[in-house]
């Protein structure tokens, strides 16, 4: 539990520094070592697929020289969307821990992609949910205030 809180504190602090995109951050950990830490970069990179989870998986693949991330865990501030959820399952990530639930597009709570796959992934949601919700609420409030 201590490491879980530590990782989420890192994610939340990282998300607070995101300026050009929705403040979502993802981290991949293997053997208690952070392999990858990325934030959304769709606006920054002009890329539809530059979600934090996809960028984190790509970096972890490169660092580990493998597309298989069997012994890795992912931590993310918002429940992954279906695109990211399927990438997570296909990367064979062992555990996913997320903060805020995505009540419209959640890959695991709404669609439950685990049910349509052969994955043995373990899914844990609602971790530091209040803090993660606040990141999103503050971001979208800022957008509304600009208009």
């Amino acid at each position: 539990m201590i490491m879980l809180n530590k990782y989420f504190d890192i994610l939340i602090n990282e998300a607070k520094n995101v300026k050009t995109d929705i403040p979502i951050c993802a981290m991949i950990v293997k053997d208690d070592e952070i392999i990858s830490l990325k934030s959304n970069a769709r606006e920054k990179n002009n890329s539809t697929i530059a979600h934090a989870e996809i960028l984190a998986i790509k970096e972890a693949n490169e660092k580990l020289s493998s597309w298989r991330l069997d012994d890795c865990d992912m931590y993310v501030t918002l429940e992954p969307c279906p695109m990211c959820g399927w990438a997570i399952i296909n990367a064979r990530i062992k555990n996913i821990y997320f903060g805020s639930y995505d009540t419209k597009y959640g890959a695991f709570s709404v669609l439950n992609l685990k049910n349509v796959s052969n994955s043995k992934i373990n899914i844990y949601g609602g971790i530091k949910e209040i803090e993660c919700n606040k990141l999103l609420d503050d971001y979208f409030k800022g957008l509304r205030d600009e208009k």
Side-chain angles (χ1 to χ4, degrees):
M1 187 66 161
I2 292 170
M3 293 305 281
L4 186 65
N5 285 327
K6 175 186 162 194
Y7 294 143
F8 267 88
D9 288 344
I10 292 168
L11 282 175
I12 290 165
N13 286 330
E14 187 76 16
K16 288 178 182 176
N17 295 319
V18 174
K19 302 297 179 211
T20 58
D21 281 274
I22 298 173
I24 299 168
C25 290
M27 169 190 303
I28 295 180
V29 174
K30 181 177 182 176
D31 300 326
D32 292 326
E33 179 187 343
I34 297 171
I35 303 298
S36 179
L37 175 61
K38 293 293 185 181
S39 59
N40 265 16
R42 291 188 312 169
E43 297 293 335
K44 180 180 168 188
N45 295 353
N46 279 325
S47 173
T48 305
I49 61 170
H51 289 207
E53 301 93 329
I54 299 294
L55 297 174
I57 289 170
K58 184 177 186 304
E59 183 174 71
N61 292 148
E62 290 167 2
K63 284 186 177 178
L64 299 174
S65 299
S66 177
W67 67 267
R68 292 179 182 92
L69 302 176
D70 309 85
D71 297 322
C72 295
D73 297 327
M74 179 178 274
Y75 302 80
V76 62
T77 53
L78 175 65
E79 179 181 4
C81 70
M83 174 182 72
C84 294
W86 202 247
I88 291 162
I89 287 170
N90 278 281
R92 299 182 180 171
I93 288 173
K94 185 177 181 178
N95 299 297
I96 180 153
Y97 303 89
F98 63 85
S100 298
Y101 283 88
D102 185 336
T103 58
K104 289 186 179 182
Y105 305 109
F108 301 109
S109 66
V110 177
L111 299 175
N112 200 355
L113 292 180
K114 184 178 176 180
N115 285 345
V116 295
S117 72
N118 195 15
S119 176
K120 293 180 178 27
I121 190 170
N122 300 302
I123 303 158
Y124 307 95
I127 299 148
K128 292 212 172 196
E129 186 175 12
I130 292 169
E131 295 94 324
C132 291
N133 286 347
K134 184 173 178 0
L135 289 168
L136 296 169
D137 291 345
D138 290 351
Y139 173 79
F140 287 110
K141 182 183 182 310
L143 286 181
R144 286 191 300 276
D145 289 349
E146 288 177 10
K147 293 181 180 182

